[in-house]
Each structure stands twice: as C-alpha cells, then as structure tokens.
Amino acid sequence: MENNSYNQNQADNFNNSSFNNQNTAPLSLGQYLGMMLLMIIPLVNIILLLVWSFGDYNVNKKNYARASLIMLVIGVIITILFGAALTAVILQNANSLTL
C-alpha cells in the first residue's frame, strides 16, 4: 500500500513540475516567425527585446531575446570601431592632399 502512495506522489510531482509550466513550453514555428518579423521594425525591435529579456515570459523567448540583445550590442560596438577607423583614414588622406 505504501508503494502505491509513493508512486502517486511521484506522479503528482511530475505533473506539477516545470515541464508542464507555460513558461517552459517550446515556442511554435509561428511564434518564432512572428518574433523575427517584429525584429524587422526599427526601434520596436529594441523595445520588444528589452521587454522579452527582462519580463516574465517564456524561457525560450527570454533566451532568444537576450541572445539577440547581445548580438545587437556586439554589432553596434563593431560598427563604431570600423566607423572610427574609416573616419581616421579619410581624415588622414584628406589632410595629406591639402598640404
């Protein structure tokens, strides 16, 4: 009889586990496509990434948003570095032409 109650407790724990939680359910293909389409819209994409990253949303959506934010920051830093290098080269060539 004790074994049966133990099995029932295991089943209850499994049913109450985070696997059945809506925040850990896998995203559907449509949800991923919708998220990617929303990322095309300027400024809306940054706002949504911040909301999804720090809000109480699905874990998969949260991780996608955090990874996208990291890639966005890396892209901005690389763009600034290349822009500064290109500006320095252009100004150096412009100064050498005027002398």
Side-chain angles (χ1 to χ4, degrees):
M1 188 70 174
E2 290 178 30
N3 193 18
N4 189 19
S5 68
Y6 176 75
N7 288 340
Q8 184 61 38
N9 285 338
Q10 274 188 321
D12 289 342
N13 288 340
F14 181 75
N15 289 334
N16 294 330
S17 69
S18 63
F19 292 113
N20 295 327
N21 190 349
Q22 194 67 3
N23 282 342
T24 58
L27 296 175
S28 69
L29 177 65
Q31 288 173 315
Y32 273 113
L33 289 175
M35 287 171 34
M36 288 180 191
L37 286 174
L38 288 171
M39 293 302 104
I40 296 172
I41 305 169
L43 294 179
V44 172
N45 57 4
I46 297 171
I47 294 169
L48 284 177
L49 286 175
L50 290 171
V51 169
W52 290 337
S53 292
F54 303 112
D56 187 26
Y57 288 93
N58 185 299
V59 173
N60 299 307
K61 185 180 282 192
K62 205 177 241 197
N63 288 336
Y64 174 81
R66 287 177 179 172
S68 295
L69 275 175
I70 290 169
M71 293 302 292
L72 178 69
V73 169
I74 291 170
V76 167
I77 290 171
I78 289 173
T79 301
I80 290 172
L81 291 175
F82 278 123
L86 184 62
T87 302
V89 168
I90 290 172
L91 290 177
Q92 185 178 12
N93 287 335
N95 286 338
S96 67
L97 290 176
T98 57
L99 294 177

